[in-house]
Amino acid sequence: FVLPILDRLLKSPKSPYVRALIIAPTRELALQSMDHLRSLSKHVHLKGVTIFGGVPIEPQKQAIKNGVDIISATPGRLLDHIYQGLINFGALEVLVLDEADRMLDMGFLPDVTRIISLLPEKRQNLIFSATMPPEILKLVHQISPHPVTVQIGQRSSPAVGIRQGIYPVAHHLKTDLLIHLLRKMEMPSVLVFTRTKHRADRLFRSLERGGFKVSVLHGDRSQNQRLSALDKFRRGRSQMMVATDIAARGIDINDISHVI
């Protein structure tokens, strides 16, 4: 969605205020949108900033004061800036809600509704969602009187080319089985999901002790640690990334061979 937004903003009158707002459930997704924006806007005079918690707020404040066309943000930190009177949405043209159902799952819907209530009524709304639960449909109709639905692929259909397997195993033997599979099968790029942050850290340490190149990603890691984990996995410096469901949606990593 970044490319058509850039095209739209280039064709509309310049403004010192924010003209496009992207709201995402996680820092990684907010950063990913801004990375695409920066790579696509190298030769045009459009500026953007990413806003999320867990990092110092002052650099974000300064970027906003210097003037930005596009903000990519997570809901909580965005509200901090709004309540401090730092952002003027008077010129806003486009609102994007990315992974809307994930924001619902993470409890962000009240914050998103609050943000929407502070925006100008006349704007384009784009909502991206893997599923459309009733709460999201209600939000869609609240902000868009005549929404157009674009559905890619059939609901609940498995991705083409994916082979699935189930290994019934006692809980205390899961890590041993995983290490056995990693050593016996060709698995060049593996994303391993755990239910909790504690389990992610424990599995990360076990795999590291087993001699594997592995990264770990979850909400208790610092921003630098999270960025480093993703970067190493993307570049193939880590064979595996152990993650909680923070990495389950929308993160753009090519050539993953196995998901566990």
Side-chain angles (χ1 to χ4, degrees):
F1 51 76
V2 169
L3 190 59
I5 288 174
L6 289 173
D7 182 61
R8 177 184 176 130
L9 298 188
L10 284 170
K11 291 173 180 174
S12 60
K14 184 74 176 165
S15 168
Y17 304 122
V18 178
R19 293 191 286 156
L21 173 63
I22 302 163
I23 303 176
T26 66
R27 307 174 199 177
E28 284 72 24
L29 287 171
L31 282 164
Q32 187 168 277
S33 294
M34 194 54 60
D35 286 343
H36 285 302
L37 180 133
R38 289 190 177 119
S39 65
L40 291 166
S41 65
K42 282 178 184 173
H43 305 292
V44 297
H45 300 292
L46 292 172
K47 292 188 292 184
V49 66
T50 313
I51 289 175
F52 51 80
V55 295
I57 198 170
E58 288 305 321
Q60 297 173 0
K61 286 183 179 180
Q62 193 55 52
I64 294 166
K65 285 178 185 174
N66 292 342
V68 292
D69 300 282
I70 303 173
I71 287 176
S72 181
T74 54
R77 177 59 67 90
L78 179 62
L79 279 172
D80 290 342
H81 285 279
I82 292 172
Y83 289 150
Q84 292 181 46
L86 298 171
I87 304 175
N88 185 322
F89 286 120
L92 191 78
E93 297 180 40
V94 184
L95 168 68
V96 176
L97 302 183
D98 194 14
E99 299 289 354
D101 54 348
R102 184 82 183 96
M103 283 197 274
L104 171 66
D105 293 342
M106 295 173 73
F108 286 143
L109 210 55
D111 284 351
V112 170
T113 305
R114 205 168 295 125
I115 292 163
I116 290 170
S117 71
L118 302 171
L119 304 179
E121 285 188 18
K122 190 178 178 183
R123 61 178 191 268
Q124 181 185 27
N125 299 298
L126 301 169
I127 299 178
F128 296 89
S129 189
T131 59
M132 279 289 177
E135 295 92 334
I136 298 299
L137 282 172
K138 183 180 176 184
L139 178 65
V140 167
H141 288 283
Q142 279 175 352
I143 66 177
S144 296
H146 305 290
V148 175
T149 301
V150 178
Q151 186 172 310
I152 300 173
Q154 293 187 357
R155 290 180 189 178
S156 305
S157 58
V160 175
I162 300 290
R163 287 184 298 159
Q164 301 182 54
I166 298 172
Y167 294 81
V169 58
H171 182 81
H172 68 284
L173 295 175
K174 276 204 247 182
T175 301
D176 291 338
L177 176 58
L178 174 58
I179 290 171
H180 172 77
L181 292 172
L182 289 167
R183 288 188 172 142
K184 293 292 182 184
M185 297 170 64
E186 190 175 337
M187 302 171 89
S189 180
V190 188
L191 180 54
V192 185
F193 285 111
T194 63
R195 191 169 58 82
T196 66
K197 301 166 190 176
H198 175 68
R199 285 184 186 180
D201 283 332
R202 194 169 58 201
L203 181 57
F204 166 72
R205 289 191 294 268
S206 297
L207 291 169
E208 219 175 25
R209 283 195 300 269
F212 296 99
K213 291 181 178 177
V214 57
S215 301
V216 63
L217 181 70
H218 58 67
D220 281 352
R221 305 288 281 175
S222 72
Q223 186 57 30
N224 284 339
Q225 288 172 325
R226 288 165 73 160
L227 288 172
S228 175
L230 271 172
D231 186 62
K232 284 179 181 176
F233 190 53
R234 274 200 182 102
R235 293 172 185 267
R237 292 176 185 168
S238 297
Q239 178 192 359
M240 275 166 284
M241 185 164 74
V242 180
T244 54
D245 63 358
I246 198 170
R249 282 289 188 84
I251 290 181
D252 185 14
I253 299 172
N254 292 328
D255 303 320
I256 294 176
S257 63
H258 293 75
V259 178
I260 296 172

